[in-house]
Amino acid sequence: MTGTDTDSGRPLPRRLLAHVGVAALVYLGVCAVLLVWALVVTARETTDASMAGVIPFLATAPASLAFLMLPANSVVFFTAIAVGAAVNAAIISWCTRALRRGGHPDR
């Protein structure tokens, strides 16, 4: 198989790594860990619970900030985190490919 063939024979993690890149996958992992942490802290009802949701929200800014205009509920919160993380991961992936390419736009 060459690089121009479809990579449907490769497992999903390999395809994801090839299309997104290591840096973007690490970022997505950090966002997932922050979201789980915020949910755990909020469920325990401690004094930090009121601000715990802000951390994953800010980690996925600026795309997640567009959701501030919508009514506040859990669906909007999770959608904002998911969309913000996806947009930022795409930008990170694009930047790492551009930096890896260097001055050679044909690669």
Side-chain angles (χ1 to χ4, degrees), residues 71-98:
N73 62 33
S74 59
V75 173
V76 172
F77 175 74
F78 288 116
T79 304
I81 301 299
V83 169
V87 167
N88 289 345
I91 292 170
I92 291 169
S93 177
W94 177 78
C95 288
T96 54
R97 270 186 265 134

Side-chain angles (χ1 to χ4, degrees), residues 14-97:
R14 289 283 218 189
R15 285 185 282 168
L16 192 60
L17 182 63
H19 291 292
V20 177
V22 175
L25 286 179
V26 168
Y27 170 75
L28 288 173
V30 168
C31 289
V33 167
L34 288 173
L35 182 61
V36 169
W37 170 80
L39 292 174
V40 168
V41 168
T42 303
R44 288 194 332 209
E45 297 292 332
T46 62
T47 58
D48 298 334
S50 61
M51 295 300 289
V54 174
I55 302 300
F57 199 80
L58 290 177
T60 57
S64 62
L65 296 178
F67 288 84
L68 285 177
M69 296 178 283
L70 298 174
N73 62 33
S74 59
V75 173
V76 172
F77 175 74
F78 288 116
T79 304
I81 301 299
V83 169
V87 167
N88 289 345
I91 292 170
I92 291 169
S93 177
W94 177 78
C95 288
T96 54
R97 270 186 265 134

Side-chain angles (χ1 to χ4, degrees), residues 97 100-107:
R97 270 186 265 134
R100 198 174 304 127
R101 211 175 323 143
H104 307 288
D106 56 344
R107 280 199 238 170

